[in-house]
Amino acid sequence: MKFTEKIIVEDYIIEKLQNKGWQFIPSDELERENLEEPLLIPNLIRSIQKINKNLDVGDEEINKILNELRLTGSGHEGSKRILNFYKFGIPVKFEKDRVVKFIRLFDYDNIENNEFIVTRQVIYKGRDNIRTDIILYINGIPLVNIECKNPAEVGVSWYDAYKQIKDYENKIHELYKYVQIGVAAESKAKYFPIVPWLDDVNISEWREDKKDSIDATIEMLSGDKLLDIIKDFLFFRIEYGNPEKVITRYMQYRAANKMVDRVIGNFKGETEKDKGLIWHWQGSGKTLTMIFAAHKLYYTHELENPSVFFIVDRLELEEQLYTEFYSLDIVEPEVISSIQELKEILSYDDFRGKRGIFIVLIHKFRPEELNELQEELENVSKNRKTIMTRKNIIAFVDEGHRSQYGILASQMKAILKNTFFFALTGTPVSKPKHGRDTYREFGYPPDDLYLDRYFIVDSIRDGFTVKIVYQPRLEHLHLKKDLLETFLEVELEEIPEETRDEVEEKLKKRLNPVNVFLENEDRIETIVEDIAEHFKENADGKFKAMVVAASRNACITYYEKLSELLPEKYLEVVMTPSREREDILTYVREARQRYEGEDFETIVKNAIENFKEKEYPKILIVTDMLLTGFDAPILQYMYLDKPLKEHRLLQAIARTNRPYKDLKEAGIIIDYVGILKEFKRALEIYSNEDIKDVLTDFESLGKEFVLIIKEIEKICEGISLDYNRDTLLKAVEILTSDVKKEAEFIEKYRNLRKVFELLGPDEIKLEYFDIYKWITAIYTYYMKVVVRKGTSVDFYVNKFYDKTVRFVHKSTEIEKLDSELPIITFDENFLEKLEEKVKSKKEKAANILFTLQRMVLVDKHKSPIYESLVDRVEKMMKLWEQKTKDYELIYSEGVSVVNEMNSLENRQKSLELKDVEYAMLLSLEEDFGEDKKLVDKVKELSSQLKESMFSGWAIQATAKKGVERDVRRFVRGFKTKYNLSLEDIDNLYNKLMENIMNYGT
């Protein structure tokens, strides 16, 4: 049995899916109308009638449904429409009743009412023909495409399967308007939403119950979970102006369903618990977790038209939440913009309260404004249901560690007495003696502190966030020890600038020296010089930055001083203006003049959007705004000149932790205030376990750099540290003889390259520069010889790894390697060019081997010629994997394969045979040897089959039986001449039918 992707991955997945209740049907037994139609129409019709039996769906309605599906376009508007059909059904007018009813395509309530089919090797026709590895159908609709790659194949990963699906999307538009999820499987499995109009999409890995990647993905694809995801965890979205789809991450799915289950369990009397804390690290997608849960609860039958409140405590969070909702194709929330509006919503429908989804600032629950309403509600509630006593109300508290311990929160809970409360935060607070304890407020201590937890280590491991590193700079300008102590001792979350008038005189006096120190212009000028130089050297043209100043006044000083050293278009101040400060009002007036009279709020809003989506601005200067909830993956550097502590510190630094196109190794905090040297004290409300791995110092990057180098040296043990091509080839031999080592080397080198870029002028780089350069040479050699990539320096490498390009790739050794090691394209002159351009026998052997391996085994160009050579190329790979390699034998075998390939191609042309005919001829010659009469017999059979092999014949039972009958009769004709046994006849028949199915459909 061949060690192929089919045996290793496909069979395993199909078997496990069958164990999960999926029914396997071979592709040629599917009830298909033709190869162009992706739907299994008979299955779909049966399912519609079964699921909607109470609606009396007749032929007329069925035709309307099929037309609706078929006539919906395959562009992004069509895709959005199809996804909504899946979620809510198709609106159909029943002429006899003259009413529109929604016909459901799936039964989300009774999962066993749906038909789950898994199949393999299905051919679809469109702009081109494709043959998919695995397709999952529910009720005759293709929903999931799984492509598999061989984990034992050199130079192959799940990414090849991902690119294959992306290629298929562009070939068969009609299929991929229905398919919603792609899965790329190799030794691990990755899943992603199907978005044909985008070149790349977000890719995730499912995790569940400590299962490995493949088994966890199979869990995700169990029928009930898959339908749950389609209905409530997969949405159309506009992101940065581009239409896309967003699909749940595993921890979002887990947490959202825990909230839903707690609500439903309480409704059913299974639990008395009516609140919960979701503790998910910053950057893990808490906003979407809330939205997923809200959407599911909003449409849950048990809740019968609920009221769902999103409670926020900042205007910017209110706007971000509304923007996220608005970007999704989902029920639009109502923003409660005034206290009067809040009163109207609470007293709506005779005090039962308005139904729907609402976003409200907690500050609108002012006791002095709502006391009267509360008394009225209490009186009315004695006789009937009101918003105070209704159970079908859910509140999601964003950043639940803040604003939930004072009179505003008390007033809110006094009115929403029976409400389910769920808090989501990455930074819960536990300060009982100060009346602030997130666990007690939303959990059930001591045994049930939180409903779900997903923390830093999980998030970095999954690639949803990157680590955060801090570097103290200009330490002589840091806050003096006594001032830092003052700040850390004061029981305020930060320097309380906006509420300064309300702060006790004593505290103002204590904190005033801190502010005076931080606003000193000479000090800021020195820091600005350092920021400008650091930004130009490390970030400009790659990533963006944020300056966090101590106050609004300091923001303006930073802007003025930075404008002298950097282009003005690089900079924007993001703050709410203070009416009391003349210097701030002057800045606002100047900003409005720069933007031709635009109001300041719009200027700030545009600056934030442009920072995320456009080239400029490159640096935002802030003091309070954007320190929570701001999500911009391109932000890597934070220049911190404001003392922060506790959750405010954690939230602020986490602005830098979003990954960016797999190019960002870490978020970097440059500390000019000295708070991070004391970060354990600044975060003393958290246990050491909770803040472990939150933040590491810059020196740790140097240690990581050395550690990765040592690990790569171990992989390349026994290889001389020189640039001799034989040495580099020896390294590649080691890598390509063990796929685990190969994958480990590539991953570690790419991480090493990212760390090298971050280290700046660190001495450790100089100490290990030669070894880093040598490892880069191995990687360059590997990319050119094995992966057959023309250069290891593409657009992204040039842009984001400029230090590696400048100091390593431009070095004599690597430049020489790049110029002297050409990629030889495969054509009729391949062998001639190989002889001319590659002198070493070893390199010739490697070149010819990996060229053939990539073409025949990896890319699998579909032709009977390549298929006939698979065994020979696999034998060459086995020769390569031997410890003592016979390069002469590998090379000569490679030359023989290339010559045979050319000879076979020329012969096919001269015989004027189509691929299906040539495939059959090669199969016959494999058993009987070359014979001119075999060519004539194949042509006769082809002519005989022509009438039966019309488009889509393979899925028409009568036509297929006719072809099978003719082929079996054809094979029996060889029985006497070649003395064939019954087993021989069966084997030959199966081979020829496989040829016909591969090349004749």
Side-chain angles (χ1 to χ4, degrees):
M1 189 176 281
K2 284 186 188 175
F3 197 49
T4 66
E5 62 184 76
K6 184 176 174 183
I7 299 303
I8 297 172
V9 185
E10 260 188 62
D11 282 359
Y12 182 83
I13 290 174
I14 288 170
E15 182 188 340
K16 292 292 182 183
L17 285 170
Q18 286 178 278
N19 294 342
K20 291 276 174 196
W22 290 82
Q23 178 192 3
F24 176 72
I25 297 180
S27 60
D28 57 351
E29 293 177 22
L30 295 172
E31 296 182 69
R32 298 179 71 188
E33 290 191 346
N34 54 61
L35 298 183
E36 288 83 7
E37 175 58 76
L39 300 170
L40 307 181
I41 299 296
N43 304 67
L44 178 57
I45 292 171
R46 286 195 299 269
S47 294
I48 287 171
Q49 289 171 331
K50 181 180 179 184
I51 292 166
N52 301 278
K53 58 187 175 188
N54 59 318
L55 297 181
D56 192 22
V57 179
D59 292 345
E60 187 179 358
E61 288 76 34
I62 290 290
N63 287 331
K64 285 181 180 179
I65 292 165
L66 296 179
N67 285 336
E68 196 72 67
L69 289 169
R70 286 167 166 162
L71 296 175
T72 296
S74 56
H76 54 81
E77 282 301 324
S79 292
K80 180 162 75 170
R81 192 174 167 82
I82 290 287
L83 188 52
N84 277 323
F85 289 162
Y86 291 172
K87 291 176 185 293
F88 305 111
I90 299 179
V92 173
K93 186 175 182 184
F94 283 64
E95 296 298 340
K96 57 191 171 195
D97 303 326
R98 295 188 179 178
V99 293
V100 173
K101 300 176 187 178
F102 277 81
I103 308 294
R104 293 180 299 153
L105 299 175
F106 308 115
D107 193 333
Y108 293 111
D109 300 319
N110 303 299
I111 298 301
E112 63 283 354
N113 232 6
N114 301 285
E115 182 185 36
F116 299 95
I117 291 174
V118 56
T119 187
R120 73 191 319 170
Q121 300 301 315
V122 189
I123 295 168
Y124 298 95
K125 282 194 172 183
R127 193 160 55 83
D128 207 340
N129 289 3
I130 65 167
R131 184 189 295 270
T132 56
D133 285 345
I134 299 173
I135 292 283
L136 304 188
Y137 289 91
I138 301 183
N139 300 342
I141 300 173
L143 290 179
V144 180
N145 175 199
I146 306 172
E147 290 300 315
C148 307
K149 291 296 169 191
N150 184 350
E153 193 72 71
V154 170
V156 178
S157 75
W158 61 265
Y159 189 73
D160 295 280
Y162 163 72
K163 293 310 284 183
Q164 190 168 7
I165 293 176
K166 294 303 293 176
D167 180 49
Y168 285 173
E169 287 174 356
N170 288 317
K171 288 180 176 174
I172 314 289
H173 295 151
E174 194 64 13
L175 170 65
Y176 289 97
K177 84 178 187 190
Y178 297 115
V179 175
Q180 297 299 316
I181 299 171
V183 175
E186 177 237 1
S187 57
K188 55 177 67 171
K190 305 280 185 175
Y191 71 96
F192 47 93
I194 294 295
V195 191
W197 55 91
L198 292 183
D199 292 336
D200 275 305
V201 292
N202 289 323
I203 301 167
S204 301
E205 190 172 335
W206 196 267
R207 292 187 189 275
E208 193 157 337
D209 300 333
K210 297 184 179 176
K211 290 180 164 64
D212 69 27
S213 180
I214 300 279
D215 284 338
T217 304
I218 288 163
E219 287 296 324
M220 181 191 85
L221 295 174
S222 60
D224 56 342
K225 275 203 183 89
L226 179 55
L227 281 174
D228 195 24
I229 289 169
I230 294 291
K231 182 173 178 283
D232 292 309
F233 294 89
L234 173 67
F235 293 97
F236 197 84
R237 173 166 76 174
I238 303 295
E239 181 81 347
Y240 303 139
N242 297 314
E244 61 168 35
K245 288 178 193 167
V246 60
I247 189 170
T248 184
R249 297 168 176 175
Y250 73 92
M251 73 289 188
Q252 291 172 326
Y253 182 83
R254 184 182 70 204
N257 272 329
K258 282 183 181 179
M259 288 187 275
V260 171
D261 291 346
R262 180 153 287 183
V263 173
I264 303 300
N266 183 289
F267 259 76
K268 290 179 175 176
E270 295 166 1
T271 178
E272 292 182 1
K273 291 179 179 178
D274 59 1
K275 58 181 180 174
L277 171 63
I278 305 296
W279 182 4
H280 283 198
W281 175 229
Q282 307 294 332
S284 58
K286 292 187 294 298
T287 302
L288 277 174
T289 303
M290 284 193 294
I291 291 173
F292 289 145
H295 179 269
K296 187 166 183 175
L297 285 166
Y298 187 71
Y299 289 104
T300 297
H301 304 312
E302 286 89 342
L303 269 64
E304 296 175 343
N305 197 11
S307 304
V308 180
F309 291 92
F310 285 83
I311 314 295
V312 294
D313 64 354
R314 304 229 164 173
L315 274 170
E316 62 200 82
L317 291 181
E318 180 181 79
E319 188 163 326
Q320 284 165 19
L321 183 57
Y322 179 76
T323 302
E324 186 70 74
F325 255 109
Y326 191 72
S327 72
L328 294 164
D329 187 33
I330 198 169
V331 60
E332 199 172 316
E334 189 176 329
V335 177
I336 301 174
S337 55
S338 68
I339 293 172
Q340 181 56 38
E341 214 174 296
L342 175 60
K343 287 179 179 178
E344 288 168 7
I345 282 164
L346 295 173
S347 56
Y348 187 87
D349 190 19
D350 206 11
F351 296 102
R352 290 181 186 87
K354 195 171 182 181
R355 315 301 174 111
I357 297 179
F358 308 95
I359 301 174
V360 61
L361 274 166
I362 193 167
H363 306 87
K364 293 188 172 59
F365 286 91
R366 291 184 194 159
E368 65 271 23
E369 299 279 357
L370 297 176
N371 271 340
E372 197 177 311
L373 175 64
Q374 183 181 338
E375 286 174 19
E376 202 169 351
L377 274 168
E378 284 169 351
N379 287 328
V380 176
S381 299
K382 291 171 186 173
N383 303 311
R384 54 186 165 77
K385 272 195 176 178
T386 67
I387 196 158
M388 192 177 265
T389 57
R390 263 174 54 212
K391 272 186 81 171
N392 60 343
I393 306 170
I394 305 100
F396 295 99
V397 182
D398 194 11
E399 302 300 354
H401 58 279
R402 297 192 308 233
S403 315
Q404 292 301 309
Y405 316 103
I407 56 171
L408 296 172
S410 297
Q411 179 64 73
M412 175 180 70
K413 287 171 184 172
I415 290 175
L416 302 176
K417 259 185 188 166
N418 238 8
T419 295
F420 291 90
F421 277 95
F422 296 102
L424 290 92
T425 179
T427 52
V429 169
S430 182
K431 299 185 86 172
K433 66 181 181 182
H434 299 292
R436 292 161 58 215
D437 191 332
T438 318
Y439 306 106
R440 187 166 295 283
E441 199 65 37
F442 294 101
Y444 294 89
D447 302 324
D448 188 1
L449 291 176
Y450 47 79
L451 191 54
D452 195 72
R453 186 178 190 266
Y454 179 81
F455 213 47
I456 299 158
V457 177
D458 309 309
S459 187
I460 292 171
R461 174 203 62 199
D462 292 336
F464 296 135
T465 60
V466 296
K467 60 179 171 279
I468 304 170
V469 175
Y470 74 93
Q471 181 183 28
R473 284 171 80 94
L474 307 183
E475 294 190 39
H476 63 288
L477 297 179
H478 286 188
L479 271 178
K480 301 297 179 261
K481 192 167 185 186
D482 58 329
L483 294 178
L484 194 57
E485 283 295 324
T486 298
F487 171 73
L488 289 171
E489 286 168 13
V490 169
E491 272 306 321
L492 293 166
E493 294 177 9
E494 59 185 315
I495 295 177
E497 187 180 357
E498 313 88 336
T499 57
R500 197 163 285 166
D501 293 341
E502 300 165 26
V503 177
E504 293 176 30
E505 195 62 33
K506 195 165 60 174
L507 286 182
K508 282 205 300 185
K509 283 178 182 172
R510 287 190 69 190
L511 289 171
N512 197 47
V514 176
N515 248 19
V516 170
F517 179 84
L518 294 173
E519 290 180 358
N520 180 279
E521 288 200 16
D522 291 338
R523 176 181 173 277
I524 290 176
E525 188 166 2
T526 306
I527 293 172
V528 159
E529 287 171 5
D530 191 60
I531 289 174
E533 187 181 335
H534 182 275
F535 182 79
K536 285 187 283 189
E537 175 62 26
N538 295 285
D540 199 7
K542 298 183 283 188
F543 296 102
K544 294 191 177 186
M546 181 183 279
V547 175
V548 182
S551 63
R552 293 183 182 89
N553 199 46
C555 281
I556 293 164
T557 309
Y558 265 106
Y559 178 82
E560 289 167 350
K561 302 289 183 188
L562 277 168
S563 297
E564 295 169 10
L565 301 174
L566 293 170
E568 198 172 42
K569 63 185 176 183
Y570 275 35
L571 310 166
E572 285 289 359
V573 176
V574 173
M575 65 179 181
T576 50
S578 166
R579 293 192 181 91
E580 292 80 37
R581 302 283 295 266
E582 185 53 42
D583 49 354
I584 293 172
L585 291 174
T586 301
Y587 170 79
V588 171
R589 282 195 293 271
E590 289 171 356
R592 293 191 66 192
Q593 284 171 5
R594 279 202 315 273
Y595 289 97
E596 299 175 349
E598 195 91 66
D599 68 87
F600 191 70
E601 192 178 326
T602 304
I603 292 169
V604 166
K605 189 176 178 182
N606 290 340
I608 294 168
E609 288 309 307
N610 292 342
F611 183 82
K612 293 178 181 180
E613 299 178 25
K614 296 184 179 176
E615 187 177 359
Y616 302 105
K618 297 187 176 190
I619 301 174
L620 295 181
I621 302 166
V622 308
T623 184
D624 286 325
M625 285 184 72
L626 310 188
L627 295 188
T628 60
F630 180 61
D631 192 349
I634 200 167
L635 171 63
Q636 181 169 40
Y637 291 92
M638 177 176 282
Y639 299 106
L640 182 64
D641 193 27
K642 174 173 184 169
L644 299 166
K645 62 181 176 180
E646 300 174 1
H647 56 87
R648 285 284 282 156
L649 176 60
L650 276 182
Q651 289 191 310
I653 64 177
R655 297 312 100 209
T656 65
N657 77 350
R658 277 44 167 188
Y660 183 72
K661 297 179 180 175
D662 197 30
L663 298 164
K664 188 166 150 186
E665 176 67 11
I668 309 291
I669 313 299
I670 307 295
D671 182 11
Y672 293 111
V673 80
I675 194 72
L676 295 180
K677 287 187 296 183
E678 301 286 335
F679 85 92
K680 283 195 176 171
R681 274 211 55 204
L683 300 173
E684 64 188 357
I685 65 168
Y686 300 105
S687 71
N688 285 335
E689 184 60 33
D690 290 340
I691 61 169
K692 192 177 113 186
D693 302 315
V694 165
L695 196 62
T696 50
D697 62 31
F698 204 77
E699 286 178 12
S700 69
L701 280 179
K703 292 173 187 168
E704 185 184 353
F705 186 71
V706 174
L707 179 65
I708 299 173
I709 278 181
K710 298 291 183 194
E711 289 170 341
I712 293 176
E713 280 184 308
K714 195 171 179 185
I715 294 170
C716 301
E717 209 167 12
I719 301 169
S720 312
L721 204 157
D722 64 56
Y723 296 88
N724 185 298
R725 297 259 281 274
D726 278 353
T727 303
L728 299 178
L729 182 61
K730 179 69 180 167
V732 167
E733 286 176 13
I734 289 172
L735 299 179
T736 52
S737 298
D738 183 335
V739 288
K740 283 187 180 173
K741 274 188 181 176
E742 178 190 31
E744 195 181 345
F745 171 80
I746 293 164
E747 184 180 352
K748 287 188 184 303
Y749 173 74
R750 288 173 179 168
N751 287 340
L752 184 69
R753 187 168 61 180
K754 288 184 221 174
V755 177
F756 182 83
E757 293 299 312
L758 286 178
L759 280 171
D762 199 295
E763 286 180 13
I764 205 80
K765 279 169 72 169
L766 198 58
E767 186 181 339
Y768 284 89
F769 181 74
D770 286 340
I771 182 78
Y772 175 63
K773 187 168 70 171
W774 177 72
I775 292 168
T776 301
I778 293 173
Y779 179 78
T780 302
Y781 193 91
Y782 168 87
M783 293 301 287
K784 296 195 96 172
V785 172
V786 179
V787 182
R788 316 300 296 158
K789 194 174 176 185
T791 174
S792 55
V793 183
D794 58 18
F795 167 77
Y796 281 115
V797 172
N798 258 318
K799 181 174 179 180
F800 290 93
Y801 303 111
D802 62 311
K803 293 187 183 78
T804 297
V805 172
R806 269 188 285 153
F807 303 123
V808 177
H809 283 278
K810 297 295 182 190
S811 65
T812 310
E813 296 90 343
I814 309 278
E815 279 205 322
K816 186 179 178 192
L817 183 63
D818 253 333
S819 62
E820 291 184 3
L821 188 65
I823 293 291
I824 301 166
T825 51
F826 191 84
D827 55 26
E828 65 274 8
N829 301 315
F830 174 75
L831 291 176
E832 191 182 311
K833 286 186 286 188
L834 188 63
E835 282 293 334
E836 178 193 332
K837 294 184 178 180
V838 180
K839 302 304 176 193
S840 147
K841 183 66 74 178
K842 290 180 179 179
E843 276 191 354
K844 283 179 184 172
N847 252 288
I848 202 165
L849 171 70
F850 290 112
T851 299
L852 290 171
Q853 185 249 1
R854 177 66 48 180
M855 289 180 65
V856 175
L857 302 184
V858 179
D859 293 341
K860 287 186 168 51
H861 292 284
K862 270 296 175 189
S863 95
I865 294 167
Y866 291 128
E867 199 174 329
S868 70
L869 298 170
V870 165
D871 287 343
R872 291 189 64 183
V873 175
E874 283 180 344
K875 280 177 188 167
M876 287 174 67
M877 289 302 297
K878 291 278 183 250
L879 289 172
W880 179 262
E881 286 163 13
Q882 290 176 5
K883 281 193 175 176
T884 308
K885 292 177 178 51
D886 188 334
Y887 298 101
E888 185 67 53
L889 178 59
I890 293 168
Y891 178 64
S892 61
E893 179 61 16
V895 169
S896 171
V897 171
V898 172
N899 284 332
E900 185 177 349
M901 194 182 287
N902 292 334
S903 169
L904 286 168
E905 282 178 357
N906 292 332
R907 184 174 176 230
Q908 183 178 359
K909 284 176 191 170
S910 67
L911 292 173
E912 298 180 342
L913 293 177
K914 292 180 283 193
D915 279 353
V916 64
E917 294 167 338
Y918 202 38
M920 290 192 290
L921 177 63
L922 292 175
S923 292
L924 290 169
E925 289 179 344
E926 187 182 2
D927 286 0
F928 308 138
E930 280 195 32
D931 185 341
K932 173 73 174 66
K933 289 178 182 175
L934 290 178
V935 178
D936 296 333
K937 284 188 175 293
V938 164
K939 286 184 175 178
E940 283 172 27
L941 176 61
S942 179
S943 175
Q944 188 180 344
L945 295 176
K946 192 173 182 181
E947 194 175 321
S948 299
M949 288 173 58
F950 50 83
S951 178
W953 67 269
I955 57 173
Q956 300 287 343
T958 308
K960 192 179 176 202
K961 279 181 184 169
V963 170
E964 289 169 344
R965 185 178 56 248
D966 290 344
V967 172
R968 193 165 283 284
R969 191 182 298 127
F970 173 77
V971 169
R972 283 201 201 99
F974 295 99
K975 181 184 177 187
T976 307
K977 184 173 180 182
Y978 295 102
N979 196 25
L980 301 181
S981 66
L982 285 176
E983 187 181 352
D984 294 334
I985 289 171
D986 278 345
N987 288 339
L988 181 56
Y989 165 78
N990 289 331
K991 268 205 292 188
L992 294 181
M993 278 309 300
E994 190 177 344
N995 296 150
I996 290 168
M997 293 301 291
N998 281 342
Y999 302 105
T1001 51

